[in-house]
């Protein structure tokens, strides 16, 4: 089936003055024509964290790493953010067998790496073999679970074989983590690639300089000629270079944008969006695909193993109020376990309604009576639940304190156990939690299998054979339309059994100068290739 520092200083007084002076809004600017594109220049892009690793498949600092490495490597396929569908990139065509265990890619014959060597099927095979050999060192390991081998069929064709169905693999090939690297990169020990010196890709930029915790400078590759069609430029990048500066504080990044010290900022916080817009600077934003932020249940714990309790918790939470209080309207209220930008999303909003009276009735019927302190109890046990959460997203605390209050109003005590990612993962691995607040961004509905399947990490300990069957069926369904139907059934089952209470979606937000064009977010809501980006003369 085919087509499957330098130091950035921001003065708050200057920011305020610029806001008061006002600028023309982004929607007032005339859309540039192709003839108006300006060639050349350096795009200065402020990010919050050092990339840590410039190895495309290595483990870095999340989005900030992927923003940089996306420019160095290309992918077999391109996932169009407008449609969620797959388009050619390094592969001109592709197909799958019926049970999604063998995928065939026909490569373009005009692609070269930045060291001048041609792209061959051996490079695809070598890249995938390299990732599998790296194991836990690679962020791409979860995309190639069940990988068996890659077979070079002829001079431009490669087959990728899995021991078990992996219908999500074509979408996975569009990620940065599965970007194809040259033989010279693969010959360098995996642990020695983090500084980027050994990274040779086929992308529109090459590494010029990497100063840890300061900046990464990328330089245009003049002979690049194979960008994906949806980006609108299949030739060399318009920009001469891109400088990613490390600016850890979100407020300083905002100030540096408004004061004109940088061209683009990443990781814009909800609290700063109005400031940026009031100053007349455009925002680039997109809802993240994948598993939505919400309440997840450790169903190995007896209290939340009870469906009545889970239903009561769902009825006691007002997602719209949480969104409006902690975030803003750039963030969507969640309507399913999948975000609306995820291929295979199906609206389940009819299954959830804020109704605290109903929540109280459900708990009454389940035998939980209100104690003297307002917290319910049953057989001498308080209805007290530990909620694990990660402190890496500022609004999380506000969201959870409001949810904590809403649940207390119906007699449920929630103890917030927050920490950095390592602490959160330890709690999950130990099963030392009743509830968790989390999300997982991925541009494929298979993220549900990652999150809920007992055959995956199994940190939620579900006992739902019907759901498990659906999760495995979608992974084995190669036809996209048929697979979407199975994913819809899986989302309906998750809602019916309240294995998760959807609250809000995550949104990625960039801020730009009005002179910047062509900076966009990809299907994974991370920075897309900058091959079509340009700066108007200012």
């Amino acid at each position: 089936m085919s087509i499957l520092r330098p130091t950035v200083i921001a003065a708050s007084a200057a920011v305020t003055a610029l806001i008061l002076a006002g600028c023309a809004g982004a929607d007032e600017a005339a859309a540039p024509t192709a003839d108006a594109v300006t060639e050349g220049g350096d795009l200065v892009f402020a990010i919050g964290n050092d990339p840590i690793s410039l190895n495309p498949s290595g483990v870095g600092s999340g989005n900030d790493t992927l923003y940089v490495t996306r420019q160095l490597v290309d992918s077999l396929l391109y996932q169009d953010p407008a449609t969620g569908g797959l388009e050619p990139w390094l592969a001109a065509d592709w197909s799958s067998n019926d049970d999604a265990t063998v995928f065939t890619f026909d490569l373009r014959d005009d692609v070269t790496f930045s060291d001048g060597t041609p792209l061959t099927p051996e490079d695809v095979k070598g890249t995938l073999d390299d990732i599998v050999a790296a194991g836990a060192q690679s962020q791409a390991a979860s995309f190639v679970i069940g990988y068996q081998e890659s077979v070079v069929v002829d001079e431009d064709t490669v087959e990728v074989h899995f021991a078990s169905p992996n219908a999500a693999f074509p979408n996975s090939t569009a990620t940065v983590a599965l970007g194809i690297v040259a033989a010279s990169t693969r010959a360098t020990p995996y642990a020695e690639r983090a500084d980027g010196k050994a990274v040779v890709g086929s992308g529109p930029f090459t590494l010029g300089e990497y100063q840890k915790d300061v900046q990464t400078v990328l330089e245009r590759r003049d002979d690049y000629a194979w960008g994906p069609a949806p980006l609108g430029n299949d030739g060399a990048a318009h920009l001469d270079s891109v400088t990613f500066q490390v600016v850890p504080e979100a407020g300083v990044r905002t100030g540096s944008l408004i004061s004109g010290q940088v061209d683009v900022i990443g990781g814009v916080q909800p609290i700063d969006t109005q400031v940026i817009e009031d100053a007349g600077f455009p925002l680039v934003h997109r809802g993240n695909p994948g598993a939505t932020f919400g309440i997840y249940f450790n169903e190995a714990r007896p209290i939340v193993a009870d469906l009545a309790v889970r239903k009561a918790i769902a009825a006691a939470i007002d997602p719209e109020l949480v969104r409006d209080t902690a975030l803003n309207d750039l963030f969507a209220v969640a309507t399913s376990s999948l975000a609306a930008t995820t291929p295979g999303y199906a609206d389940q909003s009819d299954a959830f309604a804020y109704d605290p009276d109903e929540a109280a009735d459900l708990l009454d019927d389940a035998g939980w009576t209100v104690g003297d302190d307002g917290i319910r109890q049953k057989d001498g046990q308080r209805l007290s639940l530990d909620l694990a959460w990660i402190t890496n997203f500022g609004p999380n605390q506000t969201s959870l304190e409001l949810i904590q209050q809403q649940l207390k109003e119906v007699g449920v005590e929630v103890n917030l156990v927050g920490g950095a990612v390592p602490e959160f993962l330890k709690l999950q691995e130990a099963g030392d939690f009743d509830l968790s607040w989390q999300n997982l961004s991925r541009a494929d509905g298979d993220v549900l299998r990652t999150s809920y399947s007992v055959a995956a990490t199994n940190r939620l300990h579900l006992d739902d054979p019907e759901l498990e069957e659906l999760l495995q069926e979608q992974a084995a369904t190669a036809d996209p339309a048929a697979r979407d139907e199975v994913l819809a059934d899986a989302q309906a089952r998750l809602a019916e059994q309240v294995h998760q209470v959807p609250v809000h979606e995550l949104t990625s937000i960039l801020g730009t100068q009005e002179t910047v064009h062509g900076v966009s977010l990809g299907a994974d809501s991370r920075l897309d290739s900058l091959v079509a980006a340009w700066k108007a003369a200012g």
Side-chain angles (χ1 to χ4, degrees), residues 189-319:
Y190 200 87
E192 298 177 13
R193 303 177 199 170
D195 64 3
K197 292 179 181 178
V199 175
V200 176
S202 63
F205 294 90
T206 60
L207 179 64
E209 173 189 307
Y210 170 56
Q211 297 182 54
K212 184 173 176 57
D213 294 323
V214 179
Q215 66 180 18
T216 305
V217 180
L218 307 182
E219 299 172 348
R220 176 175 63 194
R221 185 180 168 192
D222 291 336
D223 61 346
Y224 186 81
W226 44 84
L231 288 177
N233 178 25
D234 61 0
H238 302 304
L239 297 164
D240 288 328
S241 57
V242 181
T243 300
F244 289 94
Q245 293 184 352
V246 179
V247 184
E249 299 82 8
V252 175
R253 292 198 298 277
T254 295
S256 63
L257 175 73
I258 294 174
S259 60
Q261 296 177 72
V262 301
D263 299 304
V264 186
I265 61 173
V268 175
Q269 295 297 299
I271 196 173
D272 290 332
T273 59
Q274 195 63 52
V275 173
I276 293 170
E277 288 189 306
D278 286 349
F281 292 83
L283 294 175
V284 177
H285 56 87
R286 186 176 190 275
N288 285 37
T292 52
F293 266 112
I295 301 297
Y296 294 69
F297 300 91
N298 175 7
E299 297 184 29
R301 305 282 271 231
I303 293 177
V304 295
D306 185 349
L307 177 57
V309 172
R310 299 200 302 273
K311 285 183 174 181
I313 288 173
I317 294 173
D318 184 350

Side-chain angles (χ1 to χ4, degrees), residues 55-263:
N55 179 3
S57 64
V59 178
S61 57
N63 286 349
D64 291 330
T65 297
L66 298 172
Y67 286 9
V68 178
T69 52
R70 173 73 289 172
Q71 316 313 319
L72 300 174
V73 294
D74 296 329
S75 299
L76 286 172
L77 302 175
Y78 179 78
Q79 191 170 7
D80 189 343
T83 66
L86 293 171
E87 301 287 343
W89 197 346
L90 296 181
D93 195 13
W94 65 99
S95 62
S96 168
N97 67 347
D98 290 340
D99 66 353
T101 57
V102 180
F103 303 89
T104 304
F105 299 91
D106 296 320
L107 305 182
R108 294 179 59 132
D109 60 7
D110 59 347
V111 176
T112 59
F113 292 102
S114 58
D115 63 0
T117 59
L119 171 72
T120 68
E122 285 81 1
D123 294 307
V124 176
K125 171 180 169 57
T127 297
L128 294 174
D129 289 348
D130 181 62
I131 288 169
V132 171
Q137 296 181 78
S138 172
Q139 62 168 313
S142 64
F143 297 150
V144 290
I145 292 174
Y147 175 80
Q148 205 167 39
E149 64 175 340
S150 292
V151 177
V152 174
V153 177
D154 57 36
E155 62 183 10
D156 61 6
T157 307
V158 60
E159 288 182 352
V160 181
H161 294 244
F162 287 86
S164 55
N166 189 351
F169 183 67
N171 280 354
S172 298
T173 68
T175 64
V176 180
L178 291 186
I180 307 303
V181 293
S184 58
T185 298
R186 306 191 306 269
T188 303
Y190 200 87
E192 298 177 13
R193 303 177 199 170
D195 64 3
K197 292 179 181 178
V199 175
V200 176
S202 63
F205 294 90
T206 60
L207 179 64
E209 173 189 307
Y210 170 56
Q211 297 182 54
K212 184 173 176 57
D213 294 323
V214 179
Q215 66 180 18
T216 305
V217 180
L218 307 182
E219 299 172 348
R220 176 175 63 194
R221 185 180 168 192
D222 291 336
D223 61 346
Y224 186 81
W226 44 84
L231 288 177
N233 178 25
D234 61 0
H238 302 304
L239 297 164
D240 288 328
S241 57
V242 181
T243 300
F244 289 94
Q245 293 184 352
V246 179
V247 184
E249 299 82 8
V252 175
R253 292 198 298 277
T254 295
S256 63
L257 175 73
I258 294 174
S259 60
Q261 296 177 72
V262 301
D263 299 304

Side-chain angles (χ1 to χ4, degrees), residues 38-57:
T38 300
E39 301 290 337
D42 177 51
L43 185 79
V44 181
F45 196 126
I47 56 178
N49 301 279
D50 181 81
I52 299 177
S53 175
L54 296 178
N55 179 3
S57 64

